[in-house]
Amino acid sequence: MLRWRYFCLFFLLWAALFANPLDVRRYLKPLLEGQLGALLSKNVTIGELRGNLYNRVILNDIAVSEASGQNTILIGRAELTYSLKNILLQK
């Protein structure tokens, strides 16, 4: 079982090193907007998504609004930090 976990970890790290982070961000941005919008029951738009995707994601120019477009909340910057290693290796 431990070998399988190390194989999966090695494969994911290899794929992450050879994947183009810009392509990942292009698909991650609409996914985050949809998930955050569903969680908050509001419209969420993200202006820019930055970070290295291995331990930090930075969201710039976030707008949270009602369906009618009123009551808009503007957030300049939000930073999410995490440990990909701990997420993958947790029991």
Side-chain angles (χ1 to χ4, degrees):
M1 183 68 176
L2 190 59
R3 279 192 215 166
W4 178 249
R5 185 176 288 177
Y6 283 125
F7 173 76
C8 290
L9 178 64
F10 175 76
F11 178 76
L12 288 173
L13 289 175
W14 177 82
L17 288 174
F18 290 102
N20 185 354
L22 296 175
D23 288 338
V24 173
R25 288 185 208 135
R26 182 174 23 160
Y27 296 112
L28 187 60
K29 183 178 165 185
L31 179 68
L32 281 174
E33 289 175 339
Q35 292 295 319
L36 289 172
L39 180 69
L40 299 172
S41 300
K42 308 279 186 214
N43 292 332
V44 176
T45 56
I46 300 170
E48 182 185 16
L49 178 65
R50 295 184 6 209
N52 60 14
L53 304 178
Y54 305 115
N55 64 358
R56 180 174 65 170
V57 175
I58 301 168
L59 308 170
N60 288 324
D61 301 326
I62 306 162
V64 181
S65 63
E66 300 285 336
S68 64
Q70 296 181 0
N71 298 329
T72 302
I73 298 172
L74 301 174
I75 302 168
R77 176 186 165 114
E79 184 173 338
L80 308 168
T81 58
Y82 52 91
S83 172
L84 185 60
K85 181 185 85 169
N86 288 345
I87 292 170
L88 293 174
L89 296 178
Q90 75 181 0
K91 296 179 182 178

